Amino acid sequence: MKKVFVKSYGCQMNAYDAERMADALAPEGFGETTAMDEADLIILNTCHIREKAAEKVYSELGRVRALKRERERDGRATTVVVAGCVAQAEGQEIIRRAPVVDVVVGPQSYHRLPELLHRAEARRGVVNTEFPVEDKFGHLPAASPAKTRSRGVSAFLTVQEGCDKFCTFCVVPYTRGAEASRLVVRIVEEAKRLADAGVREITLIGQNVNAYHGEGPDGTTWSLGRLLHRLAEIPGLARLRYTTSHPRDMDDALIAAHRDLPALMPYLHLPVQAGSDRILAAMNRRHTADTYRRIIDKVRAACPDIALSSDFIVGFPGETDADFLDTMSLIEDVRFASAFSFKYSPRPGTPAAELEDQVPEETKAERLARLQKRLEAHRQAFNRGTVGRTVDVLLEKPGRHPGQLAGKSPYLQAVHLQAEGLSVGDVVPVRITGAGTNSLSGEIERMTAPASAAA
Ligand code: SAM
Ligand code: SF4
């Protein structure tokens, strides 16, 4: 059997795509390997979102070239594919700069991978960065139940791709194309297949997941809230999540789903990026700090214990100390349970990269450190707040010690516990006993029989 190694960078969409590429290649006789040096086919599934993305890919390709030569000396051929957003952005340039590459394929054409590989046998340097109209996922073969289950009890499912928002700092609308939602029937089919294979939790993913507006079986357009209600009916599925959302698309139906659907976990990743209205306008975010605060109020009214998460960019062009302090005051108001924060990085081809008042590196670094210190304090406080409570934990994998399993709380916290007699895939009530830096520890809450039942 031939072997394929996929190295995936960046977001969950890429992690999902990496699995789909492996599934597309299985009927071609490829099995997956986690060792690059034993792979007949190497796929770099790249990310273009931040700093020096393309340069990192070229230096990785230098290592791949050395490996390919070494394998050639042993009489083994290696095919090299560059996929993902750098492939989309650089296209033919990759073949020019790195002749070791056989195929360059953009994120919308993975279903054509087997065909592109066949073409590359005859002629090296095949490039496909089109945005075809068909649903690529509908054209990809599904993994076997055993393969699906081997990937774990928690799975991603892409429901929409692309973005029409054009935030001025972001490459996504250029690399992933216009917003497109999958049909409800296709999503339900895939979710049922996952559940039948033993998956207990599905995270719906999309660059702008709550902009979802797919056609339903009744011919009407379904929102993400309605889709979640349908998915919650699938037997075996214990948990639903979704990411990443945009504040503009946080509609009432979705907020109500957090109140009405027990399967929808109390966790929301809602990037705000900045707390200054001036900067938010320059970013073309199309919301203010105050509208963001009001959305959070509504979400908390619907689901009081919800864990909130966000993304932040510091040092966007023109950001002053006062603008930065607005971000600091927003985080004190909201108190996020977790967050991702980045220094602004000019991305070629985006409007913000052309702005003149770029913020010096050391100012960005200093602001990022200040922001991260407070975000981390809030994260730790949130984690300490769960100590003493009993929460449901989905058991996902063996823990560090014998008899231990590790899982996730509803708030996406890692939890370790002694779990004799329990299995991966079980959802069990756990009393949280301690909060470490990166995970919680807990004990199974044993159900004690009520006094009357014992008599
Ligand atoms: N669609 C999502 C949204 O609207 O927030 C996220 C898209 S992006 C894959 C994930 C995060 O990367 C963004 O939320 C942003 O914080 C960060 N990011 C994107 N472009 C960036 C840039 N040029 N510099 C720094 N961070 C960036
Ligand atoms: Fe990028 Fe903005 Fe679209 Fe998110 S909403 S993917 S940050 S353009």
Side-chain angles (χ1 to χ4, degrees), residues 49-50 169 207 244 271 273 285 311 342-343 345 347:
I49 205 78
R50 275 177 296 274
F169 53 80
Q207 269 90 18
T244 290
Q273 313 298 357
R285 287 293 291 179
D311 289 346
F342 316 99
K343 286 189 280 188
S345 136
R347 312 310 295 128

Side-chain angles (χ1 to χ4, degrees), residues 274-332:
S276 148
D277 289 346
R278 213 175 59 79
I279 295 299
L280 287 168
M283 286 177 164
N284 191 30
R285 287 293 291 179
R286 306 189 229 177
H287 61 82
T288 64
D290 235 46
T291 46
Y292 186 86
R293 283 183 176 89
R294 279 206 299 279
I295 294 165
I296 297 300
D297 289 345
K298 272 170 124 178
V299 170
R300 280 190 165 139
C303 181
D305 67 332
I306 199 156
L308 295 164
S309 159
S310 196
D311 289 346
F312 297 90
I313 294 177
V314 297
F316 184 83
E319 185 187 71
T320 62
D321 279 339
D323 292 321
F324 174 66
L325 289 178
D326 286 343
T327 302
M328 293 297 275
S329 98
L330 179 92
I331 70 161
E332 295 303 328

Side-chain angles (χ1 to χ4, degrees), residues 49 162-174 176 206-208 244-247 249 271 273 283-286 311 313:
I49 205 78
C163 182
D164 297 333
K165 296 277 191 301
F166 289 92
C167 299
T168 54
F169 53 80
C170 185
V171 288
V172 168
Y174 311 96
R176 292 272 174 168
Q207 269 90 18
N208 217 170
T244 290
S245 299
H246 191 285
D249 297 313
Q273 313 298 357
M283 286 177 164
N284 191 30
R285 287 293 291 179
R286 306 189 229 177
D311 289 346
I313 294 177

Side-chain angles (χ1 to χ4, degrees), residues 178-455:
E179 204 282 326
S181 297
R182 296 179 69 193
L183 297 179
V184 170
V185 279
R186 292 271 174 279
I187 296 167
V188 172
E189 253 169 38
E190 190 168 334
K192 279 187 180 156
R193 194 178 51 71
L194 291 169
D196 288 346
V199 166
R200 305 299 317 279
E201 174 180 270
I202 291 182
T203 303
L204 306 181
I205 53 175
Q207 269 90 18
N208 217 170
V209 72
N210 58 344
Y212 178 81
H213 63 282
E215 189 186 320
D218 52 359
T220 64
T221 301
W222 286 32
S223 68
L224 187 67
R226 186 157 178 207
L227 179 67
L228 284 163
H229 274 273
R230 174 65 190 89
L231 296 175
E233 291 167 4
I234 296 176
L237 276 187
R239 293 181 159 190
L240 293 169
R241 301 180 185 276
Y242 59 93
T243 198
T244 290
S245 299
H246 191 285
R248 281 276 294 216
D249 297 313
M250 210 59 221
D251 64 21
D252 288 344
L254 184 53
I255 294 176
H258 277 285
R259 181 191 61 216
D260 301 333
L261 277 182
L264 181 58
M265 290 296 100
Y267 184 93
L268 172 63
H269 181 64
L270 192 65
V272 65
Q273 313 298 357
S276 148
D277 289 346
R278 213 175 59 79
I279 295 299
L280 287 168
M283 286 177 164
N284 191 30
R285 287 293 291 179
R286 306 189 229 177
H287 61 82
T288 64
D290 235 46
T291 46
Y292 186 86
R293 283 183 176 89
R294 279 206 299 279
I295 294 165
I296 297 300
D297 289 345
K298 272 170 124 178
V299 170
R300 280 190 165 139
C303 181
D305 67 332
I306 199 156
L308 295 164
S309 159
S310 196
D311 289 346
F312 297 90
I313 294 177
V314 297
F316 184 83
E319 185 187 71
T320 62
D321 279 339
D323 292 321
F324 174 66
L325 289 178
D326 286 343
T327 302
M328 293 297 275
S329 98
L330 179 92
I331 70 161
E332 295 303 328
D333 292 348
V334 178
R335 295 184 73 90
F336 293 96
S338 70
F340 301 92
S341 45
F342 316 99
K343 286 189 280 188
Y344 168 71
S345 136
R347 312 310 295 128
T350 59
E354 307 299 318
L355 296 174
E356 282 183 357
D357 39 0
Q358 299 286 330
V359 173
E361 254 331 282
E362 56 282 14
T363 311
K364 287 187 204 171
E366 185 258 331
R367 287 180 188 163
L368 186 65
R370 274 166 69 192
L371 178 69
Q372 289 186 336
K373 195 166 169 212
R374 289 305 296 157
L375 289 170
E376 179 59 12
H378 294 164
R379 189 177 76 85
Q380 300 288 351
F382 181 86
N383 287 346
R384 281 196 306 276
T386 44
V387 175
R389 288 184 54 197
T390 297
V391 298
D392 281 347
V393 172
L394 168 61
L395 301 175
E396 290 182 337
K397 57 183 182 192
R400 294 186 209 111
H401 306 294
Q404 245 193 13
L405 289 179
K408 293 271 162 51
S409 77
Y411 315 110
L412 214 56
Q413 299 150 299
V415 183
H416 292 267
L417 58 138
Q418 284 305 121
E420 278 81 10
L422 295 169
S423 311
V424 166
D426 290 346
V427 179
V428 287
V430 173
R431 201 169 63 79
I432 303 301
T433 52
T437 320
N438 291 314
S439 64
L440 306 177
S441 42
E443 292 166 355
I444 303 292
E445 182 90 337
R446 302 280 170 202
M447 293 300 162
T448 45
S452 57

